[in-house]
Each structure stands twice: as structure tokens, then as C-alpha cells.
Amino acid sequence: MKKQLTAIFISLLFFQLSISAVEPMKPQEFKADIIIYGGTSAAITAAVQATRMKKTVIIVSPDRHLGGLSASGLGFTDTGNKGVIGGLAREFYHRVYLHYQDKQSWPWQQQTEYGNKGQGTPAIDGTDRTMWIFEPHVAEQIMEDFVKENTLKIYRDELLNRESGVLMKNGNILAITTLSGKKFIGKVFIDTTYEGDLMAAAKVSYHVGREANTTYGENWNGVQTLVFQHQHHFATKIDPYKIPGDKKSGLLAGISNETPSPNGTADDKLQAYCFRMCLTNVPENRVAFPKPDRYNLLDYELLVRVFNSGWKALFNKYDPLPNRKTDTNNHGPFSTDYIGMNYDYPEASYQRRKEIIAAHENYQKGLMYFMATDPRIPKDLQQQLNTWGLAKDEFKDNGNWPHQIYVREARRMIGAFVMSENEVLGKKEVPKPIGMGSYSLDSHHTQRYVTPEGYVQNEGDIGVKAPKPYGISYNAIVPKITECKNLLVPICISSSHIAYGSVRMEPVFMILGESAATAASLAIDNRTAVQEVNYNQLKTLLLKQKQTLNWNGKP
């Protein structure tokens, strides 16, 4: 009898398995007032604020690690004027301060040896109890602390189905579905990705590339040949051909054969991406620069010619983090920026994006390995470089390499209001401010080309100082009401290319994430479209949250 029951059970089990193979399970459904798509710093501040507003919230993160660039190497914070950083963003930097007050947080260096260098401000501000410079793992832990303390629901490694995963009705998003089949139903949605994937999938208008100066009455948008404001250009005449002087030999790697359009005109090109490397010169914590999977000496021939021309400023951008580490960014005419190799990234499939990211990783790892090992590198620089390496205690599950590539710019929404350089430079007033920016108009190079004289040159580098902090309009984070009524976009905001060069700073993203969640909560409470949120109500709440909305002359 027992054998018969066992046989029946096994038969039923195989029957159920065969049915499930033919009829897939229905997607799992999850509901909340606010659905946040993204795992960036803006995602976390938005979720925390939604919880404080007594709303249910779910974070749907395409990433496993939280915090975006803040937790992926960009620890030498682009603060601009720290006086305009308030709310949860300032709380984040306060928590950084508290972390480094503990002696246990300094395993590789005494705090007194660290110094106090920051970008435009001291690294440690004892008066305000904030610290603006930090190691990657510290930022990620603070993000995880926010998640734990606020009991945030988060689904990681969940990629939006960009083809058919946004369900809309009468201009409202009803639900989003991920590639794994999970369905998230909400009242208001917030896109906190660097790419603007939810915004694009919801058919909201956006732009990729540089607008013409005439589009928004600007001076620094569009193509900008022979404009060198950060000195990351070729200062001497460098031959671009594989065989010097021989055009028939072809161009060296990374040099475009296209002729740039006239200055101020539009194109579809993007400023370059890179990884913000966390390096260390502590021998016990240092990992030698690894040889990448794809390594080609010819990729770096142009760098040899730069060194041969007399340039030796290699170590000018190793910005100090605590514990003898660095936030190492692009510096010089040939550096970590992989110029011209990201143009298709914003619209690319997930698979294609992986390929682009892998190519950037190969290039940048190869660059470091090349400089550390090739005999043509000046010996003094090579010896100095080899005192550095990847930090063994950072990005432990990724070969000590950053989790997130620096997507400096991808899609930008065309919303109810477009921020331009005129607002950033104080030429025009900003309606309905919900936070402030203060950084310079900042764009990295966009293309590497051959000049009419026959030499290699970079193009796209802009750095124009904002005279004072400026407001960022609420209307710049909401789509046109005719396109979507319940979506907020605090990262890929409605902005021109060059204005975005100032907005695109991590503290600003945290600020806008918090403001977006506050507005979302008001839209839910008042049953209005996000475009119809009462600004006076919103302003009152933001000021209670200690957000800064107007410049009052603080240092």
C-alpha cells in the first residue's frame, strides 16, 4: 500500500511539473503607494522620505549594490557650495562624519595624518559635523543603514522590461514589470536611474546628445572645438597616424575620422564615461593593477606620444580619501575617460550596455597595466605609479573594481520646464525651486578627432563657474502632463546638456530624490497629478525637512 501511495505521489509531482513547464506561473505582484525604480543615492533618499511621509514604498533596483556613484568610487564629493546641501543629503554627510569619528574607522592611517583637503571645502567640517570625503564601502554601508532603519522593501537585480513592462492608462503608470516577471503596482512612480529607463519606457519625451546653442539661447552647448577650460587637451602637436605622417596607415586607436560640426551646433554625442578608481599605496592593502581580459598595446600608443612630447602631469588627479586611498578620476589629454565609446549607451539593450561597460573596464584596466609595465613609460612616473594599486578592502566581490560605471549623462527628459545654462549662471529666475545646485557647468570631452592641421585633439571640455547657487525647478523633474501624470524624474531631469553638467552631482541627486518623494506623497494625499501638486504646500514641507531652496549667502 505504501509503495502504491509513493507511486501515486510521484506521478502527481511529475504531472504538476509538466503543467508548470507548459503554463508559466503568473507574475508575482507587489503593491505600494510609491514605486522607485533605481538603486542610486536618489533612490535611497526618495524611499526614506516616502517612509517619513507615512507612505508605503518599494525600491526596484536594477543593481545589487546601493548608492550609485556615491558608493562606487566618487568619494571626493563634488560639493560646489556646501551651504545649499540640506535635508537627507546633509544627513548622509553627517553620518560620514560620525563614522570617521571612530578610531576603528582608521585602520590604515591616523586621522591626524589625513589632512583636510576637500573639493572647494574642507573634507571635515567640525562646526556642521559633516564630512564630504569618504571611502566607497562607507557610503554603501550608510545606504544599507538607511534601508535597515526604515525597513525599506527592496528588490535587487530587477531589470525593467523596457519593451512591454510599463502598463499605462489615461496617462498614468499603473504598474511596471521586470524581466524576472515581478509586477510592481503603485500610485506614483519615481525613476532614479542614471539612464532614465522608466521614463523612456513610459514614452516621456527626452533628449540624448548636445543641443544647439540656439535651442535654449545658450553659449556653451553644442560642439566646442578648440575650447579648453580644464586643460585636458593636447597642448602640443601630436601625430594621429599609426605611422607618423602617413595618413594611409590609419588612425591610432580612439581617434575618430569624423570632422566635428561647427561650434554651437547640435550632435548626438555624449561626454565620456569612466570608472572612478579607488587606489591605495598601503602595501598590505594594495592589489597590483591587473592585466585585463583583452589587452592590446596599440590602444595606448597615443599615450606614449604624449609622454614623449614632455607631458608628465600623471599624478595630478589622485584625490585623497581616508586611509591612504584615492578617488582617481580622468586627468590630462589621454586618461581614464574612454572618449567616444559610449554614444549608444543610453538607448542600448541591457546586453549591449554590458558590452560597453566591459569595453570601458578593459580599456581602463589596460591603461593602468600599460603604464605600470610598459618600458616606454618614463621611469620616474612608472616607479611612482607602482606604489599604487587597487584597494583590497573595496569592491571585494568585484575584483576590487567599482560596481558602477560613471554615467555622466544619458537621457535627459524634456519636461514642463527645461533647465538651461541661463538658470545655472543666474541670468534667469527659476520657478518653483525644490533644491539647489552650485557646481560649475562641467562637461568632459566628447570626441577625439584630427584637426585641419593634421594633429590629434579632444573636444567637449567645458568648465564655467556658476556665480552663485541656483534653484532647480520642480517643473524640471516632472514630465509634461500630456505624457505622464504620476512619474517623477529626479536624476535624468529636464535640462540642456550643458546645464546638466552642473546639476549632475551626487548631493544634488540626493536632494532631488527627497523632494520628489515629498511631492509624490502630496500628489497621493490630494489625488492630483504630480504636475498639479500645490507648490506652496510642497515648499513648506521641504523647508521643514531643512532643504535649501533659496540662496541666503551662507558659505
Side-chain angles (χ1 to χ4, degrees):
M1 184 66 179
K2 188 179 289 186
K3 289 183 178 180
Q4 289 177 329
L5 289 172
T6 302
I8 292 171
F9 174 78
I10 291 172
S11 298
L12 286 171
L13 179 61
F14 275 109
F15 178 70
Q16 289 175 339
L17 289 172
S18 65
I19 289 176
S20 65
V22 176
E23 300 178 8
M25 293 179 63
K26 292 181 179 179
Q28 292 176 282
E29 292 188 353
F30 307 90
K31 294 182 180 181
D33 294 324
I34 299 172
I35 306 296
I36 297 169
Y37 183 60
T40 58
S41 59
I44 304 305
T45 56
V48 171
Q49 181 56 27
T51 300
R52 293 181 178 180
M53 296 286 288
K54 309 301 182 185
K55 298 296 181 286
T56 57
V57 60
I58 294 174
I59 300 175
V60 183
S61 174
D63 310 302
R64 182 180 310 153
H65 295 273
L66 303 180
L69 255 294
S70 288
S72 211
L74 206 168
F76 198 76
T77 305
D78 301 317
T79 50
N81 188 310
K82 61 182 173 59
V84 303
I85 301 172
L88 282 166
R90 183 163 284 262
E91 183 174 335
F92 170 83
Y93 296 105
H94 173 59
R95 290 184 179 218
V96 172
Y97 172 86
L98 293 178
H99 172 83
Y100 286 109
Q101 291 304 298
D102 185 350
K103 290 183 179 179
Q104 300 300 314
S105 299
W106 297 88
W108 305 114
Q109 180 183 40
Q110 294 293 320
Q111 182 176 351
T112 54
E113 297 172 358
Y114 168 61
N116 206 18
K117 178 187 175 184
Q119 187 170 178
T121 185
I124 305 171
D125 188 332
T127 303
D128 287 345
R129 292 170 60 81
T130 52
M131 186 166 175
W132 307 98
I133 312 298
F134 48 85
E135 299 159 277
H137 75 271
V138 173
E140 184 172 1
Q141 185 56 57
I142 292 172
M143 297 297 175
E144 293 290 355
D145 290 343
F146 276 132
V147 170
K148 184 177 180 180
E149 293 165 13
N150 294 277
T151 321
L152 299 178
K153 292 182 179 178
I154 180 166
Y155 294 84
R156 304 177 195 241
D157 291 321
E158 291 289 344
L159 291 167
L160 176 68
N161 182 335
R162 291 157 58 191
E163 299 300 321
S164 58
V166 178
L167 177 63
M168 297 190 68
K169 184 178 180 180
N170 298 326
N172 286 287
I173 302 172
L174 302 181
I176 63 172
T177 303
T178 58
L179 293 180
S180 71
K182 293 183 179 67
K183 186 176 184 179
F184 299 91
I185 303 166
K187 298 174 183 176
V188 176
F189 293 76
I190 305 177
D191 184 343
T192 60
T193 62
Y194 291 122
E195 295 83 5
D197 281 343
L198 175 54
M199 170 192 72
K203 309 301 182 187
V204 169
S205 298
Y206 62 86
H207 187 83
V208 176
R210 299 183 286 189
E211 300 91 348
N213 275 327
T214 55
T215 302
Y216 299 115
E218 298 175 300
N219 293 314
W220 300 110
N221 210 333
V223 177
Q224 298 286 335
T225 56
L226 303 181
V227 176
F228 310 125
Q229 295 177 338
H230 286 125
Q231 306 304 311
H232 300 319
H233 62 285
F234 294 90
T236 56
K237 297 176 179 179
I238 305 293
D239 192 289
Y241 300 105
K242 293 178 181 177
I243 300 174
D246 184 1
K247 292 183 179 180
K248 294 181 180 179
S249 66
L251 294 167
L252 293 173
I255 302 175
S256 172
N257 60 9
E258 293 184 17
T259 300
S261 302
N263 277 14
T265 57
D267 63 16
D268 57 1
K269 296 176 172 60
L270 294 170
Q271 59 177 307
Y273 298 170
C274 71
F275 289 90
R276 298 287 286 248
M277 295 183 297
C278 185
L279 307 182
T280 182
N281 63 359
V282 177
E284 302 92 327
N285 195 37
R286 184 180 66 216
V287 177
F289 295 114
K291 186 177 182 179
D293 296 334
R294 187 198 65 78
Y295 181 62
N296 187 348
L297 290 171
L298 294 178
D299 288 347
Y300 311 105
E301 176 64 30
L302 184 56
L303 178 60
V304 174
R305 296 186 188 181
V306 175
F307 281 131
N308 289 342
S309 73
W311 184 80
K312 290 193 175 184
L314 179 62
F315 283 84
N316 285 8
K317 196 58 182 168
Y318 282 41
D319 293 318
L321 304 184
N323 288 305
R324 289 172 58 181
K325 295 178 185 174
T326 73
D327 169 355
T328 296
N329 193 14
N330 181 82
H331 177 79
F334 190 104
S335 186
T336 57
D337 278 358
Y338 201 16
I339 299 173
M341 303 302 169
N342 60 339
Y343 297 158
D344 59 333
Y345 180 87
E347 305 281 30
S349 67
Y350 292 127
Q351 179 57 40
R352 175 60 185 144
R353 283 183 186 169
K354 284 183 179 179
E355 294 169 358
I356 294 169
I357 292 169
H360 279 71
E361 182 175 339
N362 266 297
Y363 164 77
Q364 199 163 332
K365 282 183 175 178
L367 172 65
M368 303 309 291
Y369 182 80
F370 178 81
M371 290 192 296
T373 61
D374 195 274
R376 293 171 292 173
I377 301 299
K379 286 299 179 185
D380 56 336
L381 294 181
Q382 191 167 71
Q383 289 172 358
Q384 189 177 5
L385 178 65
N386 280 311
T387 65
W388 294 91
L390 302 180
K392 190 183 297 184
D393 60 352
E394 299 288 351
F395 316 120
K396 293 179 182 179
D397 63 347
N398 198 42
N400 311 115
W401 193 255
H403 303 119
Q404 170 73 56
I405 194 171
Y406 195 174
V407 179
R408 289 188 171 94
E409 184 178 345
R411 299 183 180 98
R412 288 173 284 104
M413 181 169 64
I414 304 175
F417 178 84
V418 180
M419 294 286 297
S420 75
E421 72 174 49
N422 296 303
E423 286 74 32
V424 173
L425 299 181
K427 298 177 181 179
K428 291 185 178 180
E429 290 297 316
V430 175
K432 301 181 179 180
I434 56 167
M436 302 196 79
S438 61
Y439 207 75
S440 302
L441 298 173
D442 180 74
S443 176
H444 281 230
H445 281 304
T446 299
Q447 58 187 322
R448 179 172 287 149
Y449 69 102
V450 180
T451 67
E453 295 75 26
Y455 302 106
V456 63
Q457 194 51 269
N458 297 331
E459 181 275 323
D461 174 73
I462 297 295
V464 177
K465 186 177 177 62
K468 63 180 181 178
Y470 59 90
I472 298 170
S473 176
Y474 176 64
N475 291 338
I477 71 166
V478 296
K480 297 170 184 174
I481 196 169
T482 54
E483 294 184 340
C484 188
K485 301 174 185 176
N486 67 337
L487 174 68
L488 295 114
V489 185
I491 287 186
C492 295
I493 75 166
S494 181
S495 165
S496 72
H497 151 71
I498 198 58
Y500 195 73
S502 175
V503 170
R504 61 172 183 84
M505 304 301 154
E506 289 291 300
V508 176
F509 290 156
M510 294 186 211
I511 290 166
L512 296 183
E514 179 180 358
S515 297
T518 305
S521 300
L522 285 177
I524 292 169
D525 290 343
N526 298 321
R527 298 183 179 183
T528 64
V530 294
Q531 293 85 356
E532 296 171 341
V533 165
N534 184 296
Y535 176 69
N536 288 329
Q537 278 188 298
L538 176 59
K539 179 180 178 180
T540 298
L541 289 174
L542 296 181
L543 291 174
K544 284 183 179 179
Q545 295 158 26
K546 298 184 179 179
Q547 292 266 40
T548 303
L549 306 184
N550 291 288
W551 173 240
N552 61 7
K554 290 188 299 183

